[in-house]
Amino acid sequence: MRFVKGHGTENDFVILPDPEGSLDLTPAVVAALCDRRAGIGADGVLRVVRAKAAHDPTAEALSGEAEWFMDYRNADGGVAEMCGNGVRVFARYLVDAGLAAPGEFAVATRGGLKRVTLGPSGDVSVDMGPPVVQGEGRATLAGEEHTGLRVSMGNPHLACPVDRPVRELDLSRGPDFDTAVFPEGVNLELFRPVGDHHVEMRVFERGSGETRSCGTGAVATAVAAAVAAAGPSAPPGEWLVDVPGGRVTVVLDGRTSHLRGPAVLVADGEIRASWLR
């Protein structure tokens, strides 16, 4: 089995080229690949498959608009709807492998069709779609209750402001939350303003734990920061979001959202069949 390793602001992925959808990608295989001691190590797996061959109803519905489907799995093997850093890395892989030309093209995901823009190298920009604000929410982390804004980016987020540097927070264990409010779990972002339209953020991702970055979480955080600063009718604007793995830029234009940041391919190789067994 061939693989490529990549990351977006140190949110890292094992990329599995599978154009014709022939891999049997079980949760156990995904978890083993993502194991940082016994496997390759990653926050998740990106299976690169043609939309028409993905055996996924969302992919099939979008196959007329996008050739490639991003089959994203969390580190625990669970299927996930969308990953903002992942789709940038996915797009960079397609261009690097000669499967797509630099410029603008669409990628099918379980969170819908995502349009990406990129050159032969450098940052990748993704139209993430319109954020859906769902009201106030709460979660408890390390014995401390946090209140914030529920935002759907195709996957569920709770973005909560904090009043101290995010490096001081304890994200060693996952949050407690009301499963009636978050029946599919939640990605928890904790953020602090550090300047005009500029925040720092840490995130605990469902199925992966704390990660060095989260693209959909960065957009959710920018939305929550904008609402906190100016109310529900916050004007469009550009936000810088600093994460432990670097910096991404979020543009909110009142209609949709865009995420821009690096996407880096660092290695490729072959997974031994004997290890997979």
Side-chain angles (χ1 to χ4, degrees), residues 48-75:
V48 182
V49 58
R50 287 191 170 87
K52 63 183 180 182
H55 309 295
D56 181 280
T58 302
E60 292 173 5
L62 296 174
S63 62
E65 300 176 80
E67 180 178 5
W68 297 100
F69 175 65
M70 183 182 79
D71 178 9
Y72 177 59
R73 315 291 180 97
N74 284 321

Side-chain angles (χ1 to χ4, degrees), residues 123-147:
D123 286 0
V124 181
S125 179
V126 185
D127 184 340
M128 300 288 286
V132 180
V133 176
Q134 299 174 317
E136 189 177 85
R138 293 177 177 81
T140 301
L141 187 71
E144 182 179 358
E145 184 173 87
H146 296 278
T147 300

Side-chain angles (χ1 to χ4, degrees), residues 80-84 111 151-157 187 205-206 214 216-217:
E81 302 91 344
M82 176 52 190
C83 177
V151 181
S152 174
M153 292 301 305
N155 56 355
H157 292 270
N187 300 291
E205 290 196 58
R206 56 174 186 163
C214 175
T216 53

